Amino acid sequence: MNYLRSQLITLRNALVARRREERLNLMSQRGEAPCMVAFYHRVADTHPNGWSISRRGFRKHLDYFQRRFEPVSLSEVQRRVRESYSARPTITMTFDDGYQDNIEFALPLLIERKMPCTYFVSTAHVLDQKPFGHDIESGIALPINTAKQIREWSDAGIEMGCHTRNHVDFGKVHDPAERKQEIVDAKNELEQIIGKSVRHFAFPFGTEQQLTPEAIETVHQAGFEGYCSAFGGYNLVGRDAFHIRRFHGDPQFARLVNWCSYDEKKLQLEPELLMPESEANSHQASHANQTIAS
């Protein structure tokens, strides 16, 4: 069934390729090229599961990205969105959780190819070497990066980002003290590990259910420069630069290509988020400035 579905997506990609390519070229000419942000969890050839991709598959993704996009950092994505100008489609690599397998292949390859990457880790799992619950449930407690490894790869050029302390589901967190612990305290812990400022936060699970106004407000209060979701979406000029939209680096290559060829219909399917007061005020101020400038 998966093979048939992949073949159908491949056929559809071929049918719409020319129209989408023309659309991307037009957007680039207008300075409106989308900024793509892909997220991964684990690159490994052992213990395959729903949140892993093979080394061969990951290399194929990078080959495709480098042929078609300009690799940039998350901060550069935000700058282009905020300043409402992007002359070329871009790609940014991100990882969630902090699996030890990634230091054996994925991170060295990204550094070798000079592709910016933000690596989001859950600090309690790193400090306590505590396997993730979803791995325990699957029957294989996969190893987590150590604090020493996180520090070393930060020094090597991989940007470290915060992914809470305990990989919590904020849709189920209603205690302000727990939100502070999972966002503010986690940021402080990670900064102590790497000896640098941590700029970005990624929500575990990352759907609209987890992106509550209260959690987003706490991300603001913690001093982060932005947060990442994980329900898909494009970072387009003029949108809210504090919210970085990401799509899955899908092992089914046809589905990855479908995202990267820019499907306008996906914008219509993107969920609406309830904004916290601080973000609403920021959005209103940005809109007012654009109105004055025009």
Side-chain angles (χ1 to χ4, degrees):
M1 181 63 72
N2 285 337
Y3 174 78
L4 177 59
R5 185 178 300 169
S6 179
Q7 291 299 103
L8 289 174
I9 296 173
T10 299
L11 177 60
R12 182 174 183 271
N13 287 345
L15 292 174
V16 301
R18 181 173 180 179
R19 180 178 64 80
R20 290 187 180 179
E21 192 67 23
E22 291 174 349
R23 174 63 175 168
L24 268 178
N25 290 336
L26 181 60
M27 294 174 74
S28 297
Q29 293 170 15
R30 294 175 175 175
E32 300 173 351
C35 298
M36 316 285 193
V37 181
F39 73 89
Y40 299 82
H41 290 88
R42 175 176 173 265
V43 178
D45 292 334
T46 59
H47 307 302
N49 54 37
W51 45 96
S52 298
I53 185 173
S54 69
R55 292 184 175 188
R56 180 181 179 183
F58 186 68
R59 188 187 292 275
K60 184 177 182 179
H61 284 201
L62 297 192
D63 291 342
Y64 175 76
F65 289 151
Q66 290 190 297
R67 285 196 306 269
R68 293 186 55 83
F69 304 109
E70 177 186 359
V72 300
S73 67
L74 284 184
S75 293
E76 176 62 15
V77 169
Q78 291 180 291
R79 186 191 70 80
R80 294 185 185 209
V81 172
R82 185 170 50 248
E83 297 182 5
S84 294
Y85 185 78
S86 178
R88 183 184 174 191
T90 68
I91 186 66
T92 307
M93 308 296 291
T94 67
F95 278 78
D96 288 359
D97 295 350
Y99 284 104
Q100 195 165 129
D101 299 271
N102 295 327
I103 69 174
E104 298 174 7
F105 179 79
L107 297 189
L109 184 60
L110 288 169
I111 289 178
E112 175 188 327
R113 296 200 181 194
K114 298 181 180 179
M115 295 189 70
C117 171
T118 301
Y119 197 75
F120 292 99
V121 298
S122 299
T123 55
H125 292 272
V126 168
L127 293 171
D128 301 335
Q129 286 297 282
K130 178 175 62 174
F132 290 102
H134 49 262
D135 291 326
I136 295 174
E137 291 175 4
S138 71
I140 302 175
L142 295 168
I144 309 301
N145 291 125
T146 65
K148 182 175 182 290
Q149 290 168 344
I150 294 299
R151 183 165 52 250
E152 289 175 346
W153 285 98
S154 173
D155 291 341
I158 299 295
E159 180 183 2
M160 293 297 159
C162 183
H163 199 45
T164 72
R165 294 193 79 250
N166 298 288
H167 202 269
V168 298
D169 180 344
F170 282 106
K172 302 176 182 178
V173 174
H174 307 292
D175 181 2
E178 185 178 0
R179 281 197 298 270
K180 176 181 178 299
Q181 180 188 58
E182 295 295 336
I183 298 174
V184 179
D185 295 351
K187 180 178 188 290
N188 294 335
E189 281 183 340
L190 184 55
E191 289 177 339
Q192 290 176 9
I193 292 173
I194 65 175
K196 301 174 185 176
S197 175
V198 174
R199 295 181 290 182
H200 297 102
F201 180 87
F203 278 88
F205 311 103
T207 71
E208 63 270 30
Q209 285 77 27
Q210 288 79 44
L211 274 64
T212 66
E214 295 81 7
I216 295 173
E217 181 64 33
T218 305
V219 172
H220 275 281
Q221 294 171 353
F224 285 103
E225 294 179 13
Y227 69 87
C228 292
S229 59
F231 51 67
Y234 301 106
N235 300 287
L236 302 176
V237 298
R239 301 193 82 177
D240 174 20
F242 195 72
H243 176 192
I244 302 166
R245 295 157 175 84
R246 302 184 299 169
F247 61 87
H248 183 216
D250 203 304
Q252 291 191 35
F253 188 69
R255 293 172 63 170
L256 179 87
V257 171
N258 183 49
W259 263 111
C260 292
S261 62
Y262 187 70
D263 183 355
E264 295 174 88
K265 293 182 180 179
K266 292 186 183 297
L267 286 176
Q268 302 170 8
L269 300 175
E270 187 176 316
E272 291 287 336
L273 301 180
L274 295 175
M275 291 192 295
E277 184 177 348
S278 61
E279 193 162 309
N281 292 338
S282 175
H283 180 76
Q284 290 174 358
S286 175
H287 178 73
N289 290 336
Q290 292 176 4
T291 301
I292 292 173
S294 63

